[in-house]
Amino acid sequence: MDNRNAVWRHVDAQSERLIALSERVWGMPEVCYTETRSCAEHVAELRHQGFRVTEAVAGIPTAVMGEAGDGGPVIAFLGEYDALPGLSQEAGVAEHRPVEAGGHGHGCGHNLLGSAALLAATALKDWLAETGTPGRVRYYGCPAEEGGAAKAFMVRAGAFADADIAISWHPGSFWEVAPPVALANTRADFVFTGRTAHAAAAPHLGRSALDAVELMSVGVNYMREHMPSDARVHYAYLDAGGIAPNVVQAGATVRYSIRARDLPGMLALVERVKKIAQGAALMTETAVEVRIVSAVSNLLANDPLERALHDVMEELGPPHFDEADRDFAGQIRATLTDGDIDAVFRAIGMPRTEAPLADFLVPLDAPRNPAVGSTDVGDVSWVVPTVQAHAPTVAIGTPFHTWQVVAQGKTPAAHKAMVQVAKAMAATGARALTDAALRDAAKADLARRVGAAGYVSPLPPEVEPPLGMSLGR
């Protein structure tokens, strides 16, 4: 039985409400673990749509789960709604124009991500009710994807234990099945403690925590030559010890993000960075404490689900953009560099075109070279067969985590892509509900990739969700 057209009808019927949700969330950008209003908007919509709602999933105040249906398989849709700091930007203008100096903005398009996932879940719920098909559909509202690893904490708490299939998406430049590549990642704070002193009268009595942080940075930079080429290490000062240069800084804190291709490689790299910190403390006669903030696993592929999603995306086709959409995308492209645009085409292994918006499906077997980041979807992919789509919400080449993404977050083109990808996800969910062979193949593929050792959370057992991390705590 072909369920796709019926499910697509249900997406269209609910699209206006969910587009409005995406716009409201765009207008209230909230960063890692502070998404109180954005979560409340999703909870209100879940209740309006008749989902059974569970709040504070895994003890996280801004995590929510809505469920509908009875019996049968469980299809999970993963949504997000967190923003990024410092990316405030007016919508619909192709120049840098912050709404609020230093304010937040949806520079990764998560206002669209959560709304489209909820749209897909709602459509599949309505299809279940219309057809009497046994099965359950869930929407997981997941905060703090940007560095907070909320899904990893939710996985550790068993929130996905009985899900059969997980489906998600991410805004992007192209219409494609998302390459199943993401780095394992740990965020850790290195807190150095020394001894204050008068920097002129008695510097020999002081022990500088700031010196220790700087020496740690030197050590990590020397290590870069001797670590895998696809590993990444980044840092940010949380506390540089104060503003008085005539006082030896007794305390300083630096946050590191440490990434590698897989979990064992990442954990080994974390240990090397810890040794460098200990060496910096030894050189400066200070003390160092390592505090793990969050951690995520690498992303696992799932061949059967990727083929199923690709088939749906091929039949459905990319979003239908008009001249006004292409005109504004062209204005955004004028703010980008050739390097920005060339980079996204290299990522999909296809020659560059000058079209401002993607009007084609990237082949599943394209020789991809994706830009690699990290995501807490990785942990879900270790316990549930998982697949993700990309949809062209932005002009081709738009770098993410920039004001240009925020500027495009409420455009008609972004809304068209959001609705189209909701159709792709909902139709894939309907197929997974009615095709036991697909579910079995997806689970077998996952078992083969996980191996006998199974999933081991990268989060140390004593680490709790860092609810205050956006406040520097």
Side-chain angles (χ1 to χ4, degrees):
M1 178 172 61
D2 190 341
N3 306 301
R4 286 171 288 197
N5 289 339
V7 173
W8 295 342
R9 262 193 297 106
H10 288 296
V11 171
D12 286 331
Q14 298 288 349
S15 61
E16 186 175 332
R17 285 191 63 88
L18 275 298
I19 287 171
L21 172 64
S22 77
E23 294 200 332
R24 291 196 301 275
V25 173
W26 184 96
M28 53 180 70
E30 299 166 301
V31 297
C32 203
Y33 288 114
T34 68
E35 311 91 343
T36 304
R37 292 181 297 160
S38 301
C39 181
E41 290 284 349
H42 282 251
V43 169
E45 187 62 28
L46 286 165
R47 295 195 192 280
H48 172 83
Q49 297 291 353
F51 284 88
R52 303 182 292 272
V53 176
T54 301
E55 298 186 69
V57 176
I60 300 171
T62 52
V64 63
M65 190 266 285
E67 181 179 271
D70 296 290
V74 176
I75 308 299
F77 293 93
L78 311 181
E80 298 164 11
Y81 31 70
D82 56 321
L84 286 158
L87 290 179
S88 177
Q89 168 65 30
E90 287 187 24
V93 295
E95 62 178 287
H96 189 202
R97 194 185 298 169
V99 175
E100 174 190 354
H104 308 323
H106 274 283
C108 214
H110 291 182
N111 62 302
L112 298 161
L113 197 166
S115 300
L118 181 49
L119 177 55
T122 300
L124 190 57
K125 169 190 71 73
D126 293 345
W127 176 82
L128 283 174
E130 177 185 63
T131 61
T133 303
R136 285 174 286 167
V137 56
R138 289 182 185 161
Y139 170 76
Y140 288 86
C142 307
E145 188 275 337
E146 298 289 356
K151 293 185 198 68
F153 288 102
M154 293 164 74
V155 169
R156 192 180 69 177
F160 299 93
D162 61 343
D164 290 279
I165 300 293
I167 303 171
S168 192
W169 79 292
H170 201 283
S173 287
F174 299 114
W175 182 244
E176 62 176 343
V177 174
V181 180
L183 301 176
N185 183 10
T186 285
R187 289 198 178 200
D189 291 348
F190 294 83
V191 183
F192 289 88
T193 303
R195 184 188 312 134
T196 190
H198 193 296
H204 58 288
L205 298 180
R207 298 295 181 266
S208 173
L210 181 59
D211 286 354
V213 168
E214 293 191 272
L215 286 167
M216 180 182 175
S217 177
V218 170
V220 170
N221 285 332
Y222 272 103
M223 183 188 71
R224 294 181 193 279
E225 181 184 356
H226 307 288
M227 67 186 197
S229 60
D230 55 2
R232 299 286 186 270
V233 181
H234 336 274
Y235 65 97
Y237 282 68
L238 299 187
D239 176 10
I243 61 172
N246 60 332
V247 176
V248 174
Q249 295 89 348
T253 301
V254 62
R255 176 168 293 170
Y256 269 80
S257 178
I258 304 162
R259 313 186 201 226
R261 177 66 64 174
D262 57 29
L263 200 53
M266 183 269 287
L267 294 174
L269 194 57
V270 169
E271 292 306 311
R272 294 178 67 187
V273 173
K274 285 181 180 179
K275 289 178 181 178
I276 291 170
Q278 292 161 1
L282 181 63
M283 284 188 286
T284 54
E285 295 185 341
T286 60
V288 62
E289 178 188 0
V290 183
R291 301 173 184 170
I292 301 299
V293 177
S294 62
V296 300
S297 300
N298 53 296
L299 188 66
L300 294 186
N302 195 281
D303 291 342
L305 287 182
E306 288 158 23
R307 287 193 297 270
L309 176 58
H310 186 270
D311 288 347
V312 171
M313 296 179 78
E314 185 171 44
E315 180 181 2
L316 184 60
H320 303 293
F321 300 119
D322 59 25
E323 268 316 302
D325 299 328
R326 287 186 282 271
D327 179 67
F328 182 66
Q331 294 176 47
I332 291 290
R333 289 253 289 197
T335 72
L336 310 179
T337 68
D338 280 340
D340 294 329
I341 299 167
D342 289 340
V344 297
F345 280 103
R346 282 197 302 271
I348 61 171
M350 296 180 68
R352 172 172 167 168
T353 71
E354 295 310 313
L357 289 165
D359 58 359
F360 59 89
L361 173 65
V362 178
L364 194 58
D365 59 355
R368 299 168 187 259
N369 182 31
V372 182
S374 302
T375 175
D376 54 9
V377 176
D379 290 86
V380 179
S381 77
W382 277 78
V383 298
V384 184
T386 301
V387 69
Q388 299 183 93
H390 284 159
T393 59
V394 297
I396 295 175
T398 304
F400 275 66
H401 295 198
T402 63
W403 67 263
Q404 287 95 334
V405 175
V406 188
Q408 297 172 83
K410 292 174 66 177
T411 61
H415 295 156
K416 291 170 185 176
M418 169 191 148
V419 172
Q420 200 79 339
V421 79
K423 290 181 177 180
M425 291 191 292
T428 303
R431 180 177 168 191
L433 273 172
T434 56
D435 188 344
L438 173 60
R439 296 194 304 274
D440 290 344
K443 291 177 181 179
D445 191 271
L446 174 60
R448 176 179 62 82
R449 295 177 189 278
V450 170
Y455 168 72
V456 178
S457 175
L459 294 163
E462 70 277 7
V463 174
E464 296 298 322
L467 303 182
M469 68 177 294
S470 294
L471 307 174
R473 300 201 298 268

